[in-house]
Amino acid sequence: MLSAYGLCTAQTTITKAFNDPVAGETVNNLTVNGTVDNSTTGANVTFNNASLTLGSPFTATYSVPTAGEVTTFPGSTLKQVSSGATFMYKQSASKLEITGIIIPDATLNLSANNGTFISYPTAYGHTETDQAQGTFTSTTANGLCKGTINISADASGTLILGSSTYPNVLRIKSIQNFNLHLPTDTTFLFPVGTLTITAYSYYDSTHKFPLLSTLQTVINAPIAGINNQTTNTAQALNLMTLSTRELASQKEGLKVYPNPAQEFIEFKGGKENYTTAKIYTLDGRLIKTSDIKSGKIQVSELPSASYFIEVSGKDNKKSEASKFIKN
C-alpha cells in the first residue's frame, strides 16, 4: 500500500474507494487467544483488550464466484473464504451486500432479499436496519429464512490490542437475526428455529481491513437437532505480513509525499508501473482524475481536508489506495 504519513488525526470513515474488498486479495490474520471485550460504546473511548494474545496465522481470500455459484447465489460478485466459512457478496456503489452464508452447520441463501453487510460511507453514529430473506439448508433439515440485519458504527476511540495501541479506531457492530421456517410456511408465521450472527469489526484510518474482529453464531433449530449451539471466533490483522496487493506495492517501493501536501503530491519508486491517479473525498466521491506519468499531481485547488488517492496501471487490474491530507 502507498506509504502515508500524518494520518493519525483523521476521522476513520469506511468508504468503497478504500475499504471495498477486491477479488484476488489475500488478507493475513492471526487467531486471538482470550475473550474480546466488546462492551465499550460511545465516542473517544478506549477499547481495552491488553490481556489478549495472538495465536496462529490464517488467511482470508477473496475471489470471483464461479458460474455455478452465481447461479446458486444470484447477483454475487465476490466470494470470501476464511476459517471454514464462506461468504458470498454483491458489490455496488453504495453497499456490500450478503447473498449467501455457508458455515459448517447451515447454509443461508439470501437470494430473495440480500442483506446489507456494510454501506458506504460509514462513520461514527451511522445506524441502519435492513431486511433479508431466502432459504436455509442443513444436513437434517431445510426451509425458509427471514430476518433483520442491524448495523451501527456505535463506538470510536483508541484500541489497545495486546501490547499495541491504535488511535482513531471505528467499531462497527452487526446483528443478524433470522427466523427459520418450514418450506411450506410461505407466510412466515411459524418459526421452527433461529439463527443469530453478531459481529464486531474495529477499523483504523490506515489499514483496509479490520485490526480486530469477532463473530458469534448461535443456532437454535430443534427440527435439525441443534439446540442453542454457540460458536465464537476472533481474529486480528497480522501486521507482520501484508496482503498480496500490499506486498506488490512494497516491493516496487512506490511512495506518496509530502503528506500533508499543499501544492503537489509526488511519487517515487516504481511509478513507471502506474499511469492514472484518482482522488476521492472521504465519503467516496471522485473529485479528480490525473495522469501521473510526470510523477506528480497538483492538489493546490483542493479544499483543506483528508482525501483518498488511488493509483492504477494501464490495465486497471492493479491499483493501490491510501489517504493524504491537503493543508
Side-chain angles (χ1 to χ4, degrees):
M1 184 174 296
L2 295 175
S3 295
Y5 308 95
L7 301 179
C8 61
T9 59
Q11 180 184 359
T12 296
T13 301
I14 308 303
T15 71
K16 181 177 179 65
F18 189 67
N19 297 100
D20 208 30
V22 176
E25 285 185 317
T26 297
V27 185
N28 295 291
N29 295 305
L30 295 168
T31 58
V32 171
N33 301 317
T35 301
V36 178
D37 184 356
N38 291 313
S39 62
T40 305
T41 61
N44 302 314
V45 298
T46 297
F47 309 107
N48 191 347
N49 285 282
S51 63
L52 299 178
T53 60
L54 302 181
S56 57
F58 67 97
T59 60
T61 60
Y62 292 91
S63 61
V64 176
T66 66
E69 288 169 333
V70 174
T71 299
T72 302
F73 303 96
S76 298
T77 61
L78 189 69
K79 177 173 72 172
Q80 178 196 354
V81 178
S82 177
S83 295
T86 299
F87 296 87
M88 309 296 291
Y89 299 106
K90 179 174 72 176
Q91 296 167 291
S92 68
S94 61
K95 286 187 176 185
L96 184 64
E97 295 181 278
I98 305 169
T99 57
I101 302 172
I102 306 169
I103 55 179
D105 296 308
T107 295
L108 295 186
N109 188 324
L110 303 181
S111 58
N113 188 5
N114 304 151
T116 299
F117 179 77
I118 196 166
S119 294
Y120 302 117
T122 290
Y124 174 70
H126 174 88
T127 62
E128 65 177 299
T129 299
D130 193 21
Q131 305 296 316
Q133 181 180 325
T135 62
F136 80 92
T137 58
S138 71
T139 56
T140 56
N142 64 84
L144 307 176
C145 65
K146 185 177 182 180
T148 60
I149 299 177
N150 296 291
I151 302 168
S152 60
D154 67 338
S156 65
T158 299
L159 170 65
I160 301 175
L161 177 57
S163 60
S164 300
T165 300
Y166 304 94
N168 301 310
V169 169
L170 175 69
R171 202 268 300 285
I172 297 177
K173 177 182 180 180
S174 173
I175 301 178
Q176 305 168 30
N177 286 307
F178 292 96
N179 285 328
L180 309 179
H181 299 260
L182 293 174
T184 54
D185 186 12
T186 56
T187 55
F188 299 97
L189 293 177
F190 306 103
V192 295
T194 59
L195 171 63
T196 301
I197 301 174
T198 304
Y200 292 87
S201 300
Y202 295 78
Y203 291 86
D204 72 352
S205 298
T206 58
H207 298 90
K208 180 173 184 175
F209 297 100
L211 296 166
L212 174 67
S213 55
T214 67
L215 184 70
Q216 181 187 74
T217 303
V218 181
I219 303 176
N220 183 38
I223 191 173
I226 302 174
N227 296 288
N228 289 318
Q229 181 172 305
T230 302
T231 303
N232 291 287
T233 60
Q235 64 189 44
L237 190 64
N238 188 351
L239 299 180
M240 298 301 294
T241 61
L242 299 174
S243 71
T244 301
R245 295 175 71 207
E246 289 175 326
L247 284 172
S249 180
Q250 184 187 57
K251 183 177 180 180
E252 288 150 14
L254 185 65
K255 298 180 185 292
V256 56
Y257 70 97
N259 196 350
Q262 291 184 330
E263 299 295 326
F264 293 92
I265 286 179
E266 298 189 48
F267 301 91
K268 63 180 179 180
K271 62 179 178 290
E272 67 276 3
N273 297 307
Y274 298 94
T275 59
T276 304
K278 295 181 179 180
I279 296 177
Y280 298 85
T281 61
L282 291 188
D283 62 3
R285 292 183 296 108
L286 176 63
I287 59 171
K288 182 168 184 172
T289 300
S290 178
D291 188 297
I292 62 171
K293 289 182 180 179
S294 65
K296 63 170 62 176
I297 301 172
Q298 185 171 354
V299 295
S300 58
E301 78 281 11
L302 300 180
S304 297
S306 296
Y307 297 91
F308 290 111
I309 183 166
E310 180 183 50
V311 296
S312 59
K314 294 179 180 179
D315 57 5
N316 287 320
K317 293 181 180 179
K318 179 180 181 179
S319 64
E320 302 295 331
S322 190
K323 282 184 176 181
F324 75 92
I325 298 173
K326 164 59 171 59
N327 279 346

